[in-house]
Amino acid sequence: MDDVRTIPRSRPQAPLYIREIETPLGAMIAGATPTDLVLLEFVGRPIMDAQIARLEKHLGCAHQAGESPIFGQLATQLDEYFAGQRRDFDIPMRAPGTEFQELVWTALQRIPCGATRSYGALAVSIGRPTAVRALAHANRDNRISILIPCHRVIGSDGTLTGYGGGLWRKQKLLDLEAGVGRLL
C-alpha cells in the first residue's frame, strides 16, 4: 500500500462519539469525531477504558453516545472487508499518540493485506532494530484495530503472538486476508 496516509498529530477536536458496531467476529466499539475515526476495538478488551481516557486527553474532549458521519462509512467498509470484497480502507482516521507510536502505526499500514511481518522486521523497517519491545508495546496501544493492522504482526518464528482481540480473532483476520475464507 504505497498511499499510506500520514497520521496527523493530535489537535483539539470535539465531540468524540462512541458507538457499538456488530461484526462477524463480535461487537466492536467505534469512536469518531465528526471527521475522523479515532477508535475501533473489540468489546471486552481490558484496556478499553484507558484507551478512551487517552483519546479524551489527546483530543481535548469527553466521549458521548451519538452519531458521526464516519460510522456509516465504517460499517459499509467493514461489511465489505468481512465479505472478502475489500482489502484496503479509505476512512479518514486520526491516531494520536507519541511520536514513536505514530511511527509504528504508520509502518503497520504499510504491511500489505494478506502479508505478515515479525516484530523484529517491523523494527528494522522503521530504522529502530533494537526497539522490538517498544514496538510491541506501541502495537498493543494501537486504538484502531483492523484499519491499522496490528494483527499482521507475528512472532519471529511465525507464531501468532499477542492480540488485544484474542488470538482466535487474529487467526480469523489473517485467514480472511490470505483468501482462505469469508466471514460474511
Side-chain angles (χ1 to χ4, degrees), residues 72-167:
Q73 187 179 3
L74 176 63
T76 297
Q77 290 191 23
L78 283 174
D79 285 347
E80 292 167 354
Y81 171 79
F82 285 119
Q85 300 167 346
R86 175 176 287 278
R87 297 180 65 79
D88 298 305
F89 296 87
D90 58 9
I91 295 169
M93 62 181 164
R94 185 159 27 123
T98 67
E99 199 170 316
F100 181 76
Q101 286 173 325
E102 292 178 11
L103 176 69
V104 170
W105 299 335
T106 297
L108 290 172
Q109 293 178 80
R110 289 192 180 104
I111 303 171
C113 186
T116 58
R117 298 288 183 273
S118 70
Y119 289 97
L122 199 57
V124 167
S125 79
I126 64 168
R128 304 282 297 272
T130 61
V132 174
R133 289 177 70 96
L135 183 138
H137 188 73
N139 195 49
R140 181 187 69 114
D141 283 343
N142 170 31
R143 288 181 291 273
I144 305 178
S145 183
I146 302 174
L147 282 73
I148 298 179
C150 53
H151 62 277
R152 295 180 189 157
V153 183
I154 59 173
S156 60
D157 62 357
T159 59
L160 297 187
T161 59
Y163 183 63
L167 290 181

